[in-house]
């Protein structure tokens, strides 16, 4: 929950962890013990209004319950951190792949991230459980016999003990708070490079939520599958897309080439809203990506609506991003079942035939680690196709593959382009593929499309100097 995007939820869980991790267990036990002494009668109801239930505190918060409450809440705070450690250990590509299939945040967490986080969660949990068992024995000895006795003794004899305890706790809180800050920055330091972007600090998040931008746009006629109008995207001070405009018609296959760092991946990621654009407009199939219009204002769509849009756009990544804890078939049927609500039987039948189509009929029960790179990428293509997307995005699908495995993946993609008339945007430097399958080639340079034409045009008469340079380097 500390990782939640909702500032209220993450704030509350942060407070809980801060308080219960930061104060001595003994104080917590005493506190719960005291409650029964301080408030002999508890009631459940509306403040100042009718009260529904009355009971005496001692009957509810017995020493045993006090001990359990204290240890449980205390332990919960520790466990929360262990679970968080597991979650941040899961590679970011896994989340991206799940999102690109249209899975909601909750589904992604439950089905993809947590199962893989368990590897990291289980060992320290074992430790915690054992040490908790040991502590319980302590409490059972103290609490049942001495604790309540001493609490009542202290309470009866000396009221000043309570302030003393509170002062002690505050000191503990101060010290542990400082330590927590240290931990926070250590985590950020060692977490550098694990994510595309460091998560915002709480302060940045607050600032961001206060500055939701609104803009204006006109409805355009429905027609092209993808339409981009002066799309701008910046990462901090670096402007990565400097006004990209493009139309892709249904059934068209567009190849995008360009030097590394020119913004090709970023543009693809904008198309399915894995990245938010800073200016310009982007439509897929006549619908504005990631936003909704009301009057002439734009509002960002809710998670569920963004997921629905994404589920209609397939994406294949350079590094496959197959779900490591699922077999080939499970990878393919996951999103149809969870997102499209297909019956399992139908999803399996469809999954089998898709895997057959990409030439993997005999590998359906293999885990990704048991497949070659080319086979993994073909599973990834089948996984995207299982959602019956109206648009497929390929981000250098063959550049992580050994040369002899490139052909098998390109063959599958050619089949899609030529036999199934799928609308595709393919970032690739395989000019052979472009020549055979592409309707159009775009050259991207420094955040702009600087030249476009048929594959023939690029082979015979590229216009721009930059294009000539680039082509002579890759051909
Ligand atoms: N999350 C990010 N934070 C900061 N800079 C980024 C991020 N993602 C990409 N970039 C930068 O944006 C530029 C374009 O990246 P990318 O779209 O991946 O290029 P390409 O796919 O054409 O190689 C690069 O200079 C890269 O360093
Ligand atoms: Mg790239």
């Amino acid at each position: 929950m500390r990782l939640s995007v909702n500032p209220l939820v993450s704030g509350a869980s942060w407070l809980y962890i801060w308080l219960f991790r930061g104060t001595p267990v003994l104080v917590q036990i005493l506190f719960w013990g005291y409650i029964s002494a301080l408030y002999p009668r508890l009631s459940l109801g509306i403040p100042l209004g009718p009260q529904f239930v009355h009971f005496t505190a001692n009957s509810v918060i017995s020493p045993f319950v006090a001990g359990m409450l204290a240890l449980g809440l205390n332990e919960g705070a520790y466990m929360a951190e262990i679970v968080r450690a597991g979650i941040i250990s899961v590679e970011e590509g896994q989340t991206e792949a799940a999102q690109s299939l249209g899975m909601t945040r909750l589904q992604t967490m439950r089905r993809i991230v947590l199962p893989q986080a368990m590897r990291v969660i289980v060992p320290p949990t074992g430790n915690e459980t054992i040490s908790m068992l040991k502590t319980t024995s302590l409490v059972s000895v103290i609490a049942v016999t001495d604790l309540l006795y001493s609490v009542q003794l202290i309470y009866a004899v000396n009221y000043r003990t309570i302030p003393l305890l509170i002062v002690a706790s505050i000191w503990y809180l101060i010290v542990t708070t400082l330590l927590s800050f240290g931990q926070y920055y250590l985590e950020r330091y060692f977490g550098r490079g694990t994510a595309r972007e460091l998560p915002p600090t709480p302060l940045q998040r607050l600032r961001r939520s206060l500055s939701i931008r609104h803009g204006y746009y006109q409805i355009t006629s429905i027609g092209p599958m993808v339409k981009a109008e002066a799309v701008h995207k910046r990462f901090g001070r670096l402007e990565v897309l400097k006004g990209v405009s493009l139309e892709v018609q249904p059934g068209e296959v567009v190849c995008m080439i360009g030097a590394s760092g020119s913004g090709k991946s970023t543009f693809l990621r904008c198309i399915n809203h894995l990245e938010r654009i800073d200016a310009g407009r982007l439509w897929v199939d006549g619908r504005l990506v990631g936003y909704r219009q009301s009057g002439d204002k734009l509002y960002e769509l809710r998670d569920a609506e963004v997921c629905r849009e994404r589920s209609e756009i397939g994406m294949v990544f350079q590094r496959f991003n197959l779900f490591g804890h699922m077999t080939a078939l499970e990878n393919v049927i996951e999103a149809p079942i969870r997102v499209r609500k297909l019956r399992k039987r139908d999803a399996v039948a469809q999954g089998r035939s898709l895997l057959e189509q990409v030439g993997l009929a005999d590998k359906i029960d293999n885990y990704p680690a048991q497949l070659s790179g080319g086979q993994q990428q073909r599973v990834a293509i089948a996984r995207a196709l299982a959602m019956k997307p109206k648009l497929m995005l390929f981000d250098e699908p063959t550049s992580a593959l050994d040369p002899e495995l490139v052909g098998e993946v390109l063959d599958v993609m050619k089949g899609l382009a030529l036999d199934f008339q799928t609308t595709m945007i393919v970032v690739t430097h395989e000019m052979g593929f472009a020549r055979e399958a592409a309707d159009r080639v775009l050259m991207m340079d420094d955040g702009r499309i600087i030249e476009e034409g048929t594959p023939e045009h690029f082979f015979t008469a590229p216009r721009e100097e930059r294009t000539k340079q680039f082509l002579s380097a890759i051909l």
Side-chain angles (χ1 to χ4, degrees):
M1 284 214 285
R2 254 187 77 180
L3 295 167
S4 167
V5 286
N6 182 336
L8 224 73
V9 175
S10 71
S13 51
W14 187 88
L15 190 74
Y16 164 66
I17 292 171
W18 172 71
L19 197 64
F20 283 90
R21 220 170 52 145
T23 47
V25 189
L26 191 65
V27 172
Q28 292 179 32
I29 297 174
L30 285 175
F31 168 77
W32 292 109
Y34 265 126
I35 276 207
S36 55
L38 284 177
Y39 301 102
R41 287 175 62 79
L42 294 176
S43 46
L44 213 62
I46 303 160
L48 305 175
Q51 295 185 337
F52 305 124
V53 203
H54 296 269
F55 36 75
T56 56
N58 270 330
S59 68
V60 184
I61 305 183
S62 64
F64 177 75
V65 172
M68 283 301 122
L69 256 173
L71 285 184
L73 286 169
N74 183 56
E75 194 55 36
Y78 284 95
M79 277 308 300
E81 282 293 274
I82 294 177
V83 171
R84 197 172 63 88
I87 290 173
I88 56 181
S89 77
V90 176
E91 219 192 301
E92 204 189 13
Q94 298 288 308
T95 316
E96 279 190 5
Q99 287 183 332
S100 77
L101 290 165
M103 295 173 79
T104 60
R105 287 209 187 89
L106 196 69
Q107 284 172 328
T108 306
M109 189 50 78
R110 220 167 49 84
R111 300 286 310 169
I112 308 299
V113 177
L114 274 182
Q116 298 187 75
M118 287 315 275
R119 257 188 329 197
V120 173
I121 294 176
V122 170
T125 305
N127 266 355
E128 279 300 312
T129 317
I130 290 169
S131 84
M132 186 177 66
L133 284 178
K134 290 184 185 168
T135 334
T136 338
S137 67
L138 233 151
V139 172
S140 65
V141 174
I142 300 176
V144 176
T145 55
D146 307 331
L147 187 67
L148 193 75
Y149 175 67
S150 56
V151 163
Q152 274 165 356
L153 201 69
I154 293 167
Y155 178 71
V157 174
N158 190 349
Y159 284 90
R160 272 192 330 220
T161 323
I162 303 174
L164 260 176
L165 270 177
I166 290 175
V167 168
S169 300
I170 289 175
W171 275 111
Y172 268 101
L173 262 181
I174 291 172
V175 172
T176 49
T177 304
L178 287 178
L179 285 176
S180 300
F181 271 116
Q183 184 192 340
Y184 179 76
Y185 284 102
L186 265 182
E187 268 178 33
R188 279 180 84 84
Y189 178 71
F190 287 109
R192 68 194 189 281
T194 51
R196 289 177 54 88
E197 258 177 300
L198 271 183
T201 58
L203 218 72
Q204 289 169 332
R205 221 184 303 173
L206 193 73
R207 215 178 300 150
R208 217 173 273 184
S209 67
L210 292 178
S211 68
I212 299 170
R213 269 174 318 111
H214 300 304
Y216 298 88
Y217 88 94
Q218 302 107 35
I219 297 171
T220 54
S221 63
I222 297 165
M225 181 56 81
V226 178
K227 183 175 157 113
E229 256 179 29
V231 169
H232 287 258
K233 170 72 193 174
R234 52 172 70 246
F235 291 110
R237 250 181 251 139
L238 178 71
E239 188 165 28
V240 178
L241 299 180
K242 302 175 177 171
V244 178
S245 299
L246 170 70
E247 273 191 27
V248 180
Q249 303 304 325
E252 201 179 9
V253 176
V254 172
C255 278
M256 198 181 265
I257 60 174
S260 168
S262 56
K264 307 177 301 292
S265 302
T266 305
F267 182 60
L268 284 194
R269 295 163 54 81
C270 288
I271 294 179
N272 68 358
H273 206 52
L274 286 177
E275 218 66 83
R276 194 186 303 184
I277 63 177
D278 294 317
R281 297 283 180 269
L282 197 51
W283 293 264
V284 172
D285 200 16
R287 298 239 311 263
L288 207 58
V289 173
Y291 294 90
R292 171 175 58 81
Q293 187 198 24
S294 174
D296 22 314
K297 291 254 169 66
L298 289 187
Y299 296 96
E300 209 168 356
L301 292 183
R302 281 180 294 117
D303 188 41
E305 294 165 314
V306 173
C307 287
R308 196 172 332 120
E309 287 192 342
R310 280 201 195 113
S311 71
E312 309 195 321
I313 304 171
M315 184 146 185
V316 176
F317 301 85
Q318 185 174 10
R319 270 176 292 190
F320 327 135
N321 293 345
L322 288 182
F323 304 135
H325 61 304
M326 296 182 177
T327 64
L329 184 66
E330 285 167 351
N331 262 281
V332 175
I333 63 175
E334 179 67 16
I337 293 176
R338 305 284 152 187
V339 181
R340 286 264 187 276
K341 312 287 179 209
L342 229 61
R343 272 185 312 175
K344 180 151 188 207
R345 190 152 27 92
D346 301 336
V348 168
Q350 175 198 291
R352 277 177 194 280
S353 99
L354 276 169
L355 285 169
E356 222 164 88
Q357 201 179 311
V358 298
L360 292 173
D362 53 339
K363 302 286 183 197
I364 54 174
D365 291 324
N366 286 33
Y367 285 91
Q370 304 163 334
L371 296 170
S372 76
Q375 292 167 339
Q376 288 190 47
Q377 193 59 302
R378 283 184 281 154
V379 174
I381 295 176
R383 179 176 70 177
L385 289 177
M387 295 298 284
K388 299 198 166 62
K390 47 192 182 191
L391 170 68
M392 283 286 283
L393 308 173
F394 292 84
D395 190 3
E396 304 204 39
T398 57
S399 53
L401 297 176
D402 292 332
E404 72 269 27
L405 301 177
V406 168
E408 60 189 51
V409 173
L410 289 182
D411 284 341
V412 169
M413 290 167 58
K414 269 180 231 162
L416 280 180
L418 303 175
D419 305 338
F420 292 91
Q421 307 282 307
T422 316
T423 314
M424 293 166 46
I425 303 180
V426 187
V427 174
T428 184
H429 296 148
E430 297 291 334
M431 293 307 283
F433 170 80
R435 178 172 247 164
E436 282 180 59
D439 299 298
R440 203 151 41 113
V441 178
L442 308 172
M443 168 78 190
M444 190 121 166
D445 188 48
D446 195 24
R448 291 193 184 87
I449 295 173
I450 58 164
E451 185 162 1
E452 66 169 273
T454 61
E456 278 329 296
H457 165 85
F458 277 85
F459 276 110
T460 53
R463 201 175 52 237
E464 301 284 330
E465 204 47 47
R466 188 78 191 84
T467 317
K468 286 180 200 162
Q469 265 177 20
F470 180 73
L471 284 173
S472 70
I474 62 162
L475 285 178

